[in-house]
Amino acid sequence: MKYNCTVISVADIKAARKFYEDLFGLEVFQDYGRNIAFTCGLALQQDFDWLVHLPKESILKKSNNVELCFEEQDFDSFLHKLKEYPNIECLGEVIEHSWGQRVIRFYDLDGHIIEVGENMKMVIKRFLASGMTIDEVSVKMDVSFEDLTKLLNS
């Protein structure tokens, strides 16, 4: 068996496509009109109730039980780009997790939680550039030296 993709319900396929292409730089793999698949494995579905044979009222907005996660190499530039979408509802401010990764969470146009986090390789590089040793980074991030090396070489 092979995992294929994640399909999310959208009210307006054209608006959702533009949002994901413009903000995240996603590339369309297949476009079937009311269903669009991106090369990353995310798919958008307008008329989701029709697809899954459920009543329209059972398709919830802001169910808050799943999030789509992205990593960004230039996190600060992404934050500036996100400000170009003044109607986006953020779930708080940027936070820095105990392992050092900065993230922001917000709702997309259809109420799905999106997390954009700083690329983990960039977190390691930021720590090393600040003068931390690789051993100190390992302790801070609670990650083995081997796993840090894998991330740095990826």
Side-chain angles (χ1 to χ4, degrees), residues 6-114:
T6 299
V7 179
I8 60 172
S9 172
V10 299
D12 181 335
I13 195 77
K14 289 179 183 171
R17 175 183 178 164
K18 182 173 177 17
F19 176 79
Y20 280 94
E21 285 180 319
D22 291 353
L23 186 57
F24 301 102
L26 299 188
E27 295 178 22
V28 171
F29 175 62
Q30 296 171 317
D31 182 345
Y32 299 111
R34 60 181 167 180
N35 178 281
I36 294 172
F38 294 105
T39 56
C40 66
L42 176 65
L44 311 176
Q45 177 70 46
Q46 187 171 305
D47 302 322
F48 193 76
D49 56 310
W50 163 84
L51 178 71
V52 297
H53 304 286
L54 288 171
K56 192 176 254 333
E57 63 274 5
S58 69
I59 307 303
L60 305 176
K61 194 166 187 171
K62 288 189 178 179
S63 61
N64 294 325
N65 62 359
V66 69
E67 70 178 1
L68 302 175
C69 298
F70 296 87
E71 281 193 348
E72 173 60 49
Q73 282 194 323
D74 190 347
F75 187 72
D76 294 318
S77 290
F78 174 79
L79 293 175
H80 290 294
K81 191 175 185 180
L82 184 61
K83 288 179 182 176
E84 296 173 14
Y85 296 83
N87 296 328
I88 293 298
E89 181 183 351
C90 289
L91 283 82
E93 300 294 320
V94 172
I95 62 168
E96 185 172 321
H97 288 292
S98 61
W99 56 89
Q101 183 186 37
R102 297 177 295 156
V103 302
I104 188 161
R105 289 183 176 88
F106 53 93
Y107 290 109
D108 74 358
L109 304 177
D110 293 283
H112 304 103
I113 298 175
I114 305 288

Side-chain angles (χ1 to χ4, degrees), residues 91-154:
L91 283 82
E93 300 294 320
V94 172
I95 62 168
E96 185 172 321
H97 288 292
S98 61
W99 56 89
Q101 183 186 37
R102 297 177 295 156
V103 302
I104 188 161
R105 289 183 176 88
F106 53 93
Y107 290 109
D108 74 358
L109 304 177
D110 293 283
H112 304 103
I113 298 175
I114 305 288
E115 173 192 288
V116 175
E118 184 179 19
N119 177 281
M120 292 304 292
K121 185 175 186 175
M122 301 309 293
V123 174
I124 298 166
K125 287 183 174 186
R126 181 166 44 89
F127 284 154
L128 293 173
S130 76
M132 292 175 75
T133 67
I134 194 77
D135 290 331
E136 290 170 329
V137 174
S138 176
V139 170
K140 167 74 176 163
M141 295 181 74
D142 193 24
V143 175
S144 71
F145 175 81
E146 292 78 18
D147 284 344
L148 288 178
T149 303
K150 282 182 201 174
L151 278 168
L152 283 171
N153 293 329
S154 64

